[in-house]
Amino acid sequence: MVKHQPLQVYERQLCLSCITGIYGCRWKRYQRSHDDTTKWELLWSLILLFTFCLLLVWFYFWWEAHNDYNEFNWFLYNRSGEWSDGTVPILATTAAGFTYIAFLMVLALCHIAVGQQLNLHWLHKIGVTAALLTTIVGVISVNQTWWEEWDVVPISLQATGPFLHIGALAAVTALSWIVAGQVARSEKTRFQVVVLLLYLSVLLGLYMVPLSITSPCIMDPASLKQRPDVIGHQGAPMLAPENTLLSFQRALQMNVTGLEADVAISMDGVPFLMHDHSLQRTTDIGKVFPERHMDDASLFNWTDLRQLNAGQWFLKDDPFWTVHTLSQREKDMVANQSVCSLEQLLKLASLHNSTVVFRLRRPLPEHPCYHSWINDTLQAVRHSGVPQSLVMWTPDEDRAEVRQVAPGLIQTSVKKQSPHSLHQHGISRLLLRYNQASTQDIREFSQSNISLTLYTVNEPWLYSVLWCSGVSSVSSEAPQILKKVPYPIWLMRPDEYCLMWVSADLISFAVVIGIFIFQKFRTSGMRSYNPEQIMLSAAVRRSSRDVNIMKEKLIFSGQPQ
C-alpha cells in the first residue's frame, strides 16, 4: 500500500536570509515572522529614522563647511595650544556613522518591502544610540564654539537647493514602490488611509518646495555682473606660509587684485604681519627664545623678530595638506621665510599696483606704542612710498584725524552698518564675513556705491553664489582655486528652472501613479492563485538536482504478507 504524505522542502532564500540576518540576526526561516511589528520595535524604527535624518544634516554641514576648515582648526588651536587638523577625525567618524545608519535604513526598508517583521538586533540598537548621542554632542559643541558656521547651510542651499530637490524627489518617488505594496497588501482600511495621506503629504510638499527655493544663480545671464576681484587673504597660505613675503608673491602670481594681512606693532614701533597673538604657531620662537614662547607677539622688538624663522612650521604642520605639491626648490624657499613687516608688504603691493587691506591690532596697555599705534602705522605707510589710493584703512579709532593726515586712504569698515551711516562717516568700502551679508544686502550696498568685500571665500560654489549676488570682491585663502572659475558653476534662467521643476513633478507623479496601479494588479493577481497551483507550478519550473523545491515524498509502507 502506498501513502502520499506532502513534505515541504523550502527553497533557499539567500537574499532574504542576509537581510533579516544582518538586521536582526534572524538567519533561520523559523526565526522570521510576517506578523505586525511590535510597538517597541516601531519606536526603534523611528529612532533609527531620526538618527539618519540628523546624521544627514550633520554630514551635509561638514561637507559644505569645507570652506572654513582652517578657521575651525584655528579655533581648536586657541583652545588647546597645539595645531592639528581637527576636521579629519570628525569627517571620518561622520562618514562611518552615516554609512552605518544608512545601511540599516536600507535593510529596514527591505524588511518592509518583503513584509518581514522589524526586529533590530540589540547590538545595532547600541550602535544607533551611540551614533545618535555622538551627533547630538557634536551639534551642541558646534553651537557653543562655532555657532556662526551654521549659516553655511542656508547659504549653500542657494547653490545646491535645486539639485537636492531633484534628488529628494527621486528618492520619495522610488519609495512609492514600498508604500504602494504595503497599501495593496494591507487589509486594514485605517492603515491604508494613514499611510496614503502621510506619503501624499510628503510628496505634495516636495512638489511645492521650489516655491521656497531662492538662489541668485536663477537669473538672466545678461544681468550677470563682472567677475568679483579676488584678494589674497594672508597671501596664498595654501601655497606658502601665511603673512610671509613669499605667500604674497605667490598670491600675485594668481592674478589677485589685492592683498590682505594682519598687523601687530613691535616694542620699537615697527608694524609687522602676524595673525596670532603669540609667535608659537608660525615661528620657531620655542627654539630661539624658549623662555618667551608664550609672550604676546607685540612684546618683541623688530630685531628679535627678524631672528625668527616663519616658514619651517608650514613644512612641518602642513596646515592645508599641500606641501606634497611643492617642488624641492619651493620647499627650500618656504623654509627660509622670516617675519614680514608692513612696509615690505606695501612696497610689494606698490610694485604690482595691488590694493592692500590690513587689520591693525592695538598693542597691550603696557606697550610703549599703546597710544601712538595709529601714527606708527601711518608713518610706515608713508615710508613705503605706496600710493594712498591702494591702501584700505580699517581701524575706527581716530578715523577723522587719519583722514586729515592721509586723505587718499580708502576708508574701510569691518562692522556692518547701513549705507547711510557709512556715507556719514566717509566710508566707501566694507569688509565683512561672507555670512554677514545677504543677497539683498549686497544689492543695497551696490546701489549705494559701497564697495563690499566678503571673506573668507575658498570654495568655487560660494564664489559663484556671491558672484551671482553681485558682490564686488572677495578675500580668499585659495586664489589658485578661484583663478580656475571663469564663470559661475551654474546659471539658469527663471523660465528654464520653472520648466525643470514642473517636468520633474509631472514625471514623478506619473511614475507614482503607475507604481500604485501596478502594485494593485500585482497583489490582486497573487491572491487569485490557489496554493496548490503555486506549489505544482513551482515544482514544474524549478525541478533540478541543485535546487531544493516543494514536492511530495512517497512513503512506502507494506502489509505483512
Side-chain angles (χ1 to χ4, degrees):
M1 180 180 178
V2 179
K3 294 182 179 180
H4 298 270
Q5 179 181 339
L7 179 64
Q8 292 182 349
V9 182
Y10 293 98
E11 179 183 357
R12 291 177 181 173
Q13 297 173 307
L14 181 60
C15 184
L16 183 59
S17 297
C18 289
I19 292 173
T20 58
I22 297 175
Y23 187 83
C25 200
R26 294 176 297 167
W27 300 94
K28 304 297 183 181
R29 182 182 296 272
Y30 67 85
Q31 296 175 317
R32 304 171 199 151
S33 174
H34 291 277
D35 295 339
D36 292 340
T37 303
T38 63
K39 293 182 179 180
W40 174 248
E41 290 299 330
L42 282 176
L43 176 61
W44 272 106
S45 300
L46 293 176
I47 294 175
L48 176 62
L49 177 61
F50 176 76
T51 305
F52 172 77
C53 296
L54 184 62
L55 265 171
L56 182 62
V57 174
W58 183 244
F59 184 81
Y60 179 82
F61 166 78
W62 280 104
W63 184 270
E64 298 301 339
H66 185 269
N67 183 83
D68 304 311
Y69 281 178
N70 187 57
E71 180 182 296
F72 177 74
N73 290 331
W74 191 74
F75 284 157
L76 294 182
Y77 170 76
N78 283 338
R79 288 176 171 267
S80 65
E82 295 292 334
W83 179 266
S84 62
D85 194 342
T87 62
V88 172
I90 293 177
L91 291 173
T93 54
T94 300
F98 180 74
T99 303
Y100 171 64
I101 297 300
F103 181 61
L104 290 182
M105 278 295 300
V106 171
L107 292 178
L109 291 175
C110 290
H111 274 69
I112 297 174
V114 298
Q116 286 290 322
Q117 185 185 52
L118 291 170
N119 187 15
L120 187 64
H121 193 262
W122 63 271
L123 283 176
H124 288 318
K125 292 176 180 176
I126 294 176
V128 171
T129 303
L132 177 60
L133 294 179
T134 303
T135 307
I136 291 176
V137 170
V139 171
I140 294 174
S141 299
V142 169
N143 281 335
Q144 293 178 346
T145 61
W146 206 26
W147 57 269
E148 63 180 0
E149 188 62 20
W150 286 112
D151 292 336
V152 78
V153 175
I155 294 174
S156 67
L157 288 176
Q158 296 179 17
T160 61
F163 309 101
L164 290 178
H165 167 249
I166 298 298
L169 192 60
V172 174
T173 301
L175 198 62
S176 65
W177 179 270
I178 297 177
V179 175
Q182 290 295 302
V183 172
R185 285 194 298 264
S186 177
E187 298 178 353
K188 299 178 180 179
T189 305
R190 180 179 298 179
F191 174 82
Q192 293 175 325
V193 172
V194 170
V195 171
L196 270 177
L197 288 178
L198 183 62
Y199 177 76
L200 292 178
S201 299
V202 173
L203 192 63
L204 183 61
L206 276 177
Y207 288 162
M208 297 294 106
V209 158
L211 294 176
S212 63
I213 292 179
T214 57
S215 173
C217 294
I218 302 176
M219 60 180 295
D220 186 353
S223 59
L224 181 67
K225 294 189 176 182
Q226 67 177 10
R227 185 176 186 270
D229 294 332
V230 178
I231 297 174
H233 182 78
Q234 300 174 350
M238 294 186 181
L239 305 177
E242 63 185 55
N243 285 322
T244 61
L245 208 57
L246 178 61
S247 181
F248 294 112
Q249 290 170 347
R250 294 300 302 272
L252 291 169
Q253 293 172 1
M254 302 301 158
N255 300 327
V256 299
T257 59
L259 302 171
E260 181 182 357
D262 307 285
V263 178
I265 299 180
S266 67
M267 289 288 285
D268 47 353
V270 178
F272 65 97
L273 310 186
M274 186 60 55
H275 177 268
D276 300 0
H277 287 278
S278 73
L279 301 168
Q280 184 179 11
R281 180 175 68 92
T282 57
T283 69
D284 59 348
I285 183 70
K287 181 190 300 183
V288 181
F289 302 106
E291 70 284 354
R292 302 177 62 190
H293 72 282
M294 292 304 295
D295 289 357
D296 192 277
S298 63
L299 298 180
F300 292 80
N301 59 47
W302 180 239
T303 304
D304 293 338
L305 292 170
R306 291 294 294 171
Q307 299 179 40
L308 301 177
N309 184 287
Q312 292 177 353
W313 73 273
F314 182 82
L315 300 176
K316 176 185 175 183
D317 294 341
D318 195 7
F320 293 96
W321 302 75
T322 54
V323 170
H324 70 280
T325 64
L326 304 179
S327 65
Q328 187 58 47
R329 177 177 173 275
E330 291 172 331
K331 290 180 181 179
D332 293 338
M333 294 175 63
V334 166
N336 291 323
Q337 292 303 299
S338 57
V339 178
C340 180
S341 69
L342 175 61
E343 187 173 341
Q344 289 175 305
L345 171 62
L346 293 175
K347 288 181 178 179
L348 178 67
S350 178
L351 182 63
H352 292 83
N353 196 33
S354 177
T355 304
V356 175
V357 54
F358 55 86
R359 296 169 178 270
L360 182 61
R361 186 167 66 247
R362 188 171 190 175
L364 299 172
E366 61 270 20
H367 197 282
C369 300
Y370 178 72
H371 297 288
S372 63
W373 63 300
I374 295 293
N375 290 330
D376 292 335
T377 307
L378 285 174
Q379 185 176 358
V381 173
R382 289 196 297 266
H383 284 173
S384 68
V386 64
Q388 293 184 6
S389 59
L390 293 180
V391 180
M392 295 171 59
W393 184 265
T394 60
D396 287 327
E397 290 80 0
D398 302 327
R399 193 180 288 275
E401 291 78 1
V402 170
R403 190 180 292 108
Q404 293 179 355
V405 175
L409 296 178
I410 304 173
Q411 295 299 321
T412 305
S413 176
V414 294
K415 297 179 181 178
K416 186 176 181 180
Q417 305 174 50
S418 67
H420 177 70
S421 176
L422 293 172
H423 285 306
Q424 278 187 331
H425 293 87
I427 297 173
S428 59
R429 300 199 68 161
L430 195 59
L431 179 64
L432 300 175
R433 194 176 189 270
Y434 68 85
N435 67 323
Q436 293 180 304
S438 64
T439 301
Q440 183 178 355
D441 292 332
I442 294 173
R443 292 171 180 170
E444 183 179 350
F445 287 125
S446 178
Q447 293 170 358
S448 303
N449 294 321
I450 300 294
S451 181
L452 178 63
T453 301
L454 299 180
Y455 67 90
T456 306
V457 180
N458 300 327
E459 292 295 308
W461 69 263
L462 181 56
Y463 183 66
S464 299
V465 169
L466 296 178
W467 184 349
C468 296
S469 299
V471 73
S472 58
S473 61
V474 301
S475 179
S476 174
E477 296 170 331
Q480 74 280 7
I481 294 177
L482 300 189
K483 180 183 178 182
K484 302 175 183 178
V485 186
Y487 197 76
I489 293 179
W490 68 271
L491 199 62
M492 194 180 304
R493 298 177 185 272
D495 54 345
E496 293 175 344
Y497 177 62
C498 184
L499 178 62
M500 182 183 76
W501 161 33
V502 173
S503 299
D505 286 355
L506 291 177
I507 293 173
S508 169
F509 183 74
V511 171
V512 169
I513 294 298
I515 288 176
F516 268 84
I517 294 174
F518 177 77
Q519 286 282 43
K520 179 66 176 178
F521 279 100
R522 176 173 172 267
T523 306
S524 61
M526 290 177 62
R527 289 175 178 173
S528 65
Y529 282 115
N530 186 292
E532 285 79 3
Q533 292 177 336
I534 298 176
M535 184 176 63
L536 291 176
S537 61
V540 172
R541 292 194 308 266
R542 309 287 300 270
S543 179
S544 172
R545 179 178 299 178
D546 300 327
V547 180
N548 294 322
I549 61 171
M550 187 179 299
K551 56 184 174 179
E552 280 192 348
K553 179 180 179 182
L554 296 179
I555 302 176
F556 295 92
S557 60
Q559 297 290 339
Q561 297 180 357

